[in-house]
């Protein structure tokens, strides 16, 4: 019964035993609110609950009756009371048994000790070299709380030294970019604190150092978002979100930043001007002529829709992305909003007037000139198919093939075809947040991925790297190699081979054919090669799990074996122009497609593209035993136990997954809001003040607020 109930309630709300904390409730199939079978029982009838009222004159009946009648009445009353008492007892027993049956058995991870080092603030900062992670702290450890932050905030500059002789030797000069036409407001810096709070929790997965992200600084809300209007009033062009915040040390941040009037900023225009000033940096012909290196460009595409509510806090994140990725980098990125027009009757492709009207009604004015609209009807025209039902293995969601739920990649492929000037496109979701510096994270991830050799890359990318048990990345790589050999598994090496028919297969690019056998390769092939696909959760084989969308495969001959495939949960990724062009050709010419999380990885697998899971730091709210974590996430004994199937409940206490309830709770606490009766200004001031977290990806963020 427990297994069946667990299967039906895959995403229950999280409630921490022994505390008042409850994570934001996520959808479930909980049937606990069904009507009770006793609702219509006589013993629960309305008349019984309210009591029986009788006229006073009827009482005289008892005194006018015979002794025999009195005996009968007495016996009737006695037996009625017995029956009522018995019925009441049975009702109580029924409800007790029902409550016991309905009581959810806690998952094993809910019984692990809660980690609270996240909430240590800026008045407890220590040097990174003196930091002891919360997981290693003993009961004798005492944290020192200062009257004020012991360190001053500093501007963070993760960019190359654009003015250095070394940089200019190989690259064109970088021209400074501004937010306005008059070049009054230079692209602003953001600020972090050197050090981390004492007893700060350590991530369980991934690494800062390996991805080139500084591990020795932390971010609080004034330094992170103050430059984007968080900490000054609307009359000055800000958002005035810090009025009810704890303020220890905030005046030092305020002294460092320039108050920018964001009411008149046009981000699309600012990005375009920045690119035009730096266009030589990206032109291969100019680079060849002047013997310089051309810098590759990326589009950073945010997937949004008509009716989306752009809150003030959302504005802060959008401004941060544009400033840090595009303007501060001298135009290496362009940030775009790709807006899904939900009303298919609006002819956005035929009427400029309707297009602009829809745009103006759906997006804040500061982002108008960086927005592109699309609709499912447009995708039906662009990818007409046919996509026949008999060519689909299983449409689990029972939804339309052109619908965004099953084919969100159609719009991205279409966008990429309109923008062949970009070498890479980042597909990003609106419910992701990041506490650190966007350029530092994305540039670090890209550089790390480029240095990964292709040998056993798919195998390494299918697992969670847990440094606490696996050691360094090098040792983890050795472990993967040893286990692959011991299991006699055939590693991925070049384009996957599988039978096909009908419209056949598009041949893979020649450069994706391995230059030598896997045995001859000494982890050389692929080193220094940009990855075609970077994802942020493991690239798993859905055929080895009970993930519900594993068979949503369309366009292939269903009389043959389903093609090999891979998937990565959450569709955020970096995709190369080459991969996107192949995805487009597969969809347009051969009518192939799969569920969105499965399509880019599977095309990469089929065509031999370089794909990698970037092991970014992921945190958990509980103190997991490392051996248990490794077994559950890396060695599930059955498909049902896979963390990408019914075992996904194990992700709920994490900071990054589609159902990670802890991520939203932690993000709102970092913003200064109360969460489940904890946190807020008074709590922060009475303890160690504002939270200061290292760079961390949060997903999903379904709501956000400040106190």
């Amino acid at each position: 019964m427990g297994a069946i109930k667990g299967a039906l309630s895959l995403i229950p709300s999280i409630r921490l035993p022994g505390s008042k904390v409850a994570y934001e409730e996520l959808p479930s199939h909980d049937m606990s609110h069904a009507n009770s079978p006793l609702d219509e029982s006589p013993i629960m009838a309305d008349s019984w609950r309210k009591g029986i009222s009788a006229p006073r004159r009827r009482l005289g009946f008892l005194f006018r009756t015979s002794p025999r009648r009195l005996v009968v009445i007495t016996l009737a009353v006695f037996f009625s009371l017995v029956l009522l008492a018995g019925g009441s007892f049975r009702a109580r027993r029924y409800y007790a048994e029902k409550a016991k049956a309905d009581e959810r058995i806690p998952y094993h991870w809910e019984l692990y000790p809660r980690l609270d080092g996240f909430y240590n603030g800026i008045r407890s900062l220590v040097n990174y070299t003196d930091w002891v992670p919360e997981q290693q702290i003993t009961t004798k450890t005492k944290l020192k709380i200062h009257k004020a932050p012991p360190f001053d905030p500093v501007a963070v500059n993760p960019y190359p030294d654009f003015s250095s002789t070394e940089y200019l030797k190989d690259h064109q000069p970088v021209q400074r970019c501004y937010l306005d036409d008059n070049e009054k407001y230079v692209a602003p810096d953001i600020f972090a604190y050197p050090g981390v709070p004492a007893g700060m929790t350590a991530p369980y997965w991934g690494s800062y150092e390996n991805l080139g992200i500084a591990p020795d600084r932390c971010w609080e809300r004034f330094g992170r978002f103050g430059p984007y209007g968080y900490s000054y009033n609307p009359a000055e062009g800000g958002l005035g979100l810090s009025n009810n915040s704890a303020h220890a040390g905030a005046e030092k941040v305020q002294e460092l930043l320039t108050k920018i009037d964001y009411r008149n900023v046009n981000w699309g225009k600012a990005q375009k001007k920045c690119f035009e000033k730096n266009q030589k940096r990206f032109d291969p012909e100019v680079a060849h002529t002047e013997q310089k290196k051309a810098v590759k460009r990326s589009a950073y595409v945010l997937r949004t829709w008509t009716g989306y509510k752009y809150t003030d806090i959302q504005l802060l994140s959008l401004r941060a992305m544009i400033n840090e990725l595009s303007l501060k980098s001298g135009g290496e990125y362009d940030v775009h909003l790709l807006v899904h027009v939900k009303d298919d009757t609006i002819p956005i492709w035929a009427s400029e007037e309707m297009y602009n009207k829809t745009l103006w009604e759906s997006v804040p004015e500061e982002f108008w000139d960086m927005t592109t609209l699309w609709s499912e009807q447009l995708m039906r025209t662009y990818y007409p198919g046919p996509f026949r039902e008999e060519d689909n293995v299983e449409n689990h969601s029972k939804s339309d093939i052109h619908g965004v739920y099953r084919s969100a990649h159609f719009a991205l492929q279409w966008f990429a075809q309109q923008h062949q000037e970009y070498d890479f496109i980042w597909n990003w979701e609106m419910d992701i947040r990041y506490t650190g510096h966007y350029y530092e994270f994305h540039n670090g991830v890209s550089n790390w991925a480029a240095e990964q050799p292709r040998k056993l890359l798919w195998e390494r990318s299918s697992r969670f790297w847990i440094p606490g048990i696996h050691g360094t990345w090098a040792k983890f790589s050795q472990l993967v190699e040893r286990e692959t050999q011991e299991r006699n598994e055939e590693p991925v090496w070049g384009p996957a081979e599988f039978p096909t028919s009908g419209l056949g297969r598009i041949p893979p690019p020649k450069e994706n054919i391995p230059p030598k056998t896997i045995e001859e390769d000494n982890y050389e092939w692929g080193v220094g090669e940009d990855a075609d696909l970077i994802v942020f959760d493991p690239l798993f084989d859905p055929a080895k799990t009970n993930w519900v969308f594993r068979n949503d495969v369309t366009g292939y001959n269903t009389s043959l074996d389903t093609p090999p495939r891979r998937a990565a949960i959450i569709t955020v990724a970096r995709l190369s122009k080459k991969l996107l062009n192949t995805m487009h050709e597969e969809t347009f010419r051969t009518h192939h497609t799969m569920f969105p999380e499965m399509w880019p990885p599977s095309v990469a697998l089929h065509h031999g593209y370089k794909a990698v899971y970037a092991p970014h730091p992921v945190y958990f709210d509980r103190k997991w035993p490392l051996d248990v974590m490794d077994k559950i996430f890396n060695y599930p004994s059955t498909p049902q136990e896979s963390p990408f199937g019914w075992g996904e409940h194990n992700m709920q206490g994490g900071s990054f997954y589609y159902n990670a309830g802890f991520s939203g709770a932690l993000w709102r606490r970092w913003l200064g809001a109360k969460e489940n009766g904890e946190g807020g200004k008074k709590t922060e001031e009475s303890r160690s003040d504002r939270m200061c977290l290292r760079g961390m990806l949060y997903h999903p963020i379904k709501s956000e607020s400040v106190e």
Side-chain angles (χ1 to χ4, degrees):
M1 181 66 184
I4 296 174
K5 186 175 181 181
L8 291 175
S9 185
L10 300 182
I11 320 175
S13 62
I14 307 176
R15 194 167 292 278
L16 312 185
S19 79
K20 296 180 180 179
V21 174
Y23 294 154
E24 183 176 26
E25 187 170 356
L26 301 175
S28 73
H29 300 284
D30 185 12
M31 298 298 292
S32 62
H33 298 295
N35 291 334
S36 167
L38 288 185
D39 282 352
E40 302 302 323
S41 170
I43 64 172
M44 297 300 293
D46 187 66
S47 60
W48 169 256
R49 290 197 294 266
K50 294 182 179 179
I52 299 176
S53 176
R56 187 185 298 257
R57 61 181 175 83
R58 293 284 181 92
L59 294 176
F61 169 77
L62 293 175
F63 299 99
R64 295 197 303 268
T65 188
S66 65
R68 182 177 179 180
R69 183 174 291 178
L70 283 172
V71 171
V72 172
I73 292 173
T74 301
L75 290 173
V77 171
F78 173 76
F79 284 113
S80 296
L81 291 172
V82 169
L83 289 172
L84 289 172
S88 178
F89 172 76
R90 286 194 297 274
R92 288 195 300 271
R93 184 174 64 181
Y94 171 85
Y95 278 105
E97 292 176 351
K98 184 178 186 299
K100 185 176 181 180
D102 287 346
E103 183 179 351
R104 184 174 67 83
I105 299 174
Y107 292 119
H108 68 98
W109 54 267
E110 293 181 273
L111 305 178
Y112 300 147
R114 173 179 167 177
L115 295 170
D116 290 322
F118 303 101
Y119 312 109
N120 296 340
I122 56 174
R123 291 195 288 115
S124 68
L125 292 176
V126 296
N127 286 310
Y128 178 64
T129 53
D130 297 327
W131 167 63
V132 178
E134 180 183 11
Q135 292 94 322
Q136 299 175 19
I137 284 180
T138 67
T139 54
K140 296 181 180 179
T141 304
K142 292 184 178 180
L143 305 183
K144 184 176 181 180
I145 309 299
H146 303 267
K147 291 183 179 180
F151 309 123
D152 291 336
V154 296
V156 175
N157 180 13
Y159 305 93
D161 186 351
F162 293 135
S163 61
S164 68
T165 303
E166 183 180 357
Y167 184 85
L168 294 174
K169 177 183 177 182
D170 296 324
H171 301 88
Q172 294 285 344
V174 177
Q175 305 300 320
R176 178 176 291 183
C177 295
Y178 296 80
L179 275 66
D180 61 316
D181 287 339
N182 297 326
E183 297 192 348
K184 175 183 178 182
Y185 297 120
V186 67
D189 289 326
I190 60 173
F191 308 94
Y193 279 91
V196 294
M200 170 58 62
T201 316
Y204 276 95
W205 302 342
S207 164
Y208 289 99
E209 293 88 345
N210 280 60
L211 297 184
I213 301 170
D216 58 353
R217 59 176 172 238
C218 67
W219 305 82
E220 51 76 51
R221 50 191 181 266
F222 278 87
R224 182 68 187 88
F225 284 144
Y228 304 118
Y230 165 80
S231 55
Y232 53 96
N233 293 321
E236 301 172 288
L239 295 170
L241 296 173
S242 66
N243 295 336
N244 293 320
S245 172
H247 279 74
E251 69 282 354
K252 293 189 176 181
V253 176
Q254 298 291 82
E255 292 170 1
L256 295 171
L257 62 84
T258 299
K259 293 180 180 180
I260 296 171
D261 187 347
Y262 284 99
R263 292 171 294 184
N264 299 313
V265 171
N266 181 326
W267 290 107
K269 196 172 183 180
Q271 289 188 100
K272 182 180 180 181
K273 189 171 183 179
C274 184
F275 167 69
E276 290 172 347
K277 291 174 69 173
N278 290 282
Q279 195 163 0
K280 283 187 176 181
R281 300 181 63 205
F282 313 107
D283 191 327
E285 293 184 7
V286 173
H288 177 74
T289 301
E290 301 186 13
Q291 296 183 332
K292 303 282 187 178
K293 293 180 180 178
V295 177
K296 295 182 178 180
R297 295 196 76 215
S298 296
Y300 197 75
V301 179
L302 292 153
R303 307 298 299 273
T304 181
W305 55 92
T306 52
Y308 183 84
K309 184 178 180 181
Y310 295 82
T311 65
D312 285 349
I313 302 173
Q314 175 73 80
L315 295 183
L316 294 173
S317 291
L318 291 174
R319 292 169 181 175
M321 294 173 189
I322 302 166
N323 180 61
E324 294 156 31
L325 290 173
S326 179
L327 303 188
K328 294 287 287 185
S329 73
E332 292 180 22
Y333 292 76
D334 276 338
V335 180
H336 295 261
L337 295 183
L338 187 56
V339 178
H340 173 205
V341 179
K342 290 186 173 183
D343 187 348
D344 267 347
T345 66
I346 300 176
I348 56 173
W349 60 87
S351 168
E352 182 178 359
E353 179 183 358
M354 291 300 298
Y355 186 99
N356 288 334
K357 181 176 184 296
T358 305
L359 168 64
W360 298 338
E361 292 175 349
S362 305
V363 177
E365 185 174 356
E366 59 186 287
F367 308 119
W368 284 354
D369 287 349
M370 50 176 272
T371 297
T372 302
L373 306 183
W374 72 277
S375 68
E376 292 175 6
Q377 185 59 41
L378 179 61
M379 293 303 103
R380 292 184 183 94
T381 303
Y382 196 72
Y383 291 120
F387 300 101
R388 305 184 305 174
E389 289 186 12
E390 56 265 34
D391 293 335
N392 173 260
V393 178
E394 180 189 15
N395 178 6
H396 180 83
S397 65
K398 310 299 181 186
S399 56
D400 180 18
I401 191 66
H402 288 97
V404 67
Y405 190 71
R406 289 182 68 202
S407 298
H409 49 280
F410 281 7
L412 191 70
Q413 293 169 190
W414 167 77
F415 178 88
Q417 291 303 301
Q418 318 308 312
H419 292 282
Q420 289 288 293
E421 69 269 25
Y422 297 117
D423 300 286
F424 305 100
I425 290 183
W426 293 79
N427 189 64
W428 216 247
E429 296 181 2
M430 297 297 283
D431 59 353
I432 291 184
R433 300 291 181 269
Y434 186 62
T435 37
H437 195 291
Y438 277 104
Y439 185 89
E440 181 182 40
F441 177 80
H442 290 81
N443 196 54
V445 164
S446 301
N447 291 340
W448 178 86
E451 294 307 310
Q452 300 311 301
R454 281 177 172 257
K455 185 173 182 177
L456 297 178
L457 183 57
W458 284 95
E459 289 69 31
R460 291 193 299 278
S461 294
S462 69
R463 311 184 192 198
F464 295 95
W465 173 35
I466 309 173
I469 197 168
H470 298 142
T472 64
W473 178 257
K475 289 184 178 179
F476 173 68
S477 300
Q478 293 170 3
L479 171 68
V480 172
E481 180 181 32
R482 183 173 66 251
E483 290 186 346
T484 303
Q485 294 172 347
E486 292 172 352
R487 296 172 181 176
N488 292 319
E489 295 177 347
E490 184 177 352
V492 176
W493 191 242
E497 296 292 336
F498 58 92
T500 186
S501 62
L503 296 174
R505 293 183 61 188
I506 296 172
K510 292 182 179 180
E511 61 267 25
N512 290 351
I513 306 299
K516 56 181 71 173
T517 66
I518 192 170
E519 292 79 14
E520 294 172 330
D521 182 83
N522 188 27
Y523 290 93
E524 299 165 332
W525 185 38
V527 175
E529 175 191 13
D530 286 317
D532 295 292
L533 179 66
I534 303 175
V535 297
F536 298 93
D537 271 316
L539 288 158
F540 67 97
D541 183 350
K544 296 180 180 179
T545 75
N546 69 334
W547 181 51
V548 294
F549 302 112
R550 64 190 178 278
N551 292 320
D552 196 347
V553 177
T554 299
Y556 300 87
N557 190 333
T558 54
S559 67
L560 301 173
D561 290 340
T562 305
R565 52 213 183 277
R566 294 294 185 271
I569 303 300
I570 308 178
T571 57
V572 294
R574 191 192 79 167
L575 303 90
S576 71
K577 176 169 63 176
K578 295 183 295 182
L579 174 59
L580 281 160
N581 286 344
T582 301
M583 290 164 58
H584 166 72
E585 291 294 314
E586 285 272 1
T587 303
F588 178 71
R589 299 193 183 281
T590 63
H591 311 153
H592 293 163
T593 186
M594 300 181 190
F595 201 74
E597 280 94 341
M598 195 159 50
W599 181 235
S602 296
V603 173
L605 178 70
H606 296 172
H607 292 267
Y609 286 111
K610 184 178 181 182
V612 60
Y613 154 49
H616 62 102
V618 174
Y619 292 77
F620 280 79
D621 68 337
R622 306 304 179 91
K623 189 176 181 180
W624 280 68
L626 292 177
D627 57 337
V628 174
M629 176 173 276
D630 188 33
K631 180 179 183 302
I632 284 177
F633 288 100
N634 287 321
Y635 304 99
S637 57
T638 67
Q640 288 76 16
E641 292 182 4
S642 167
F644 310 112
W646 287 353
E648 64 190 9
H649 65 83
N650 291 288
M651 301 281 198
Q652 290 178 341
S655 57
F656 189 84
Y657 199 62
Y658 94 91
N659 67 341
F662 177 56
S663 63
L666 186 62
W667 173 253
R668 289 184 288 275
R669 284 287 301 270
W670 181 82
L671 287 170
K674 288 184 177 179
E675 181 75 14
N676 300 303
E678 298 183 347
K681 180 179 180 180
K682 289 184 178 180
T683 297
E684 290 182 341
E685 290 178 337
S686 66
R687 296 181 181 177
S688 53
D689 220 87
R690 301 184 303 286
M691 292 167 58
C692 198
L693 298 175
R694 295 191 286 176
M696 186 191 314
L697 277 182
Y698 304 78
H699 183 277
I701 305 301
K702 299 303 182 184
S703 66
E704 49 192 347
S705 61
V706 298
E707 186 173 13

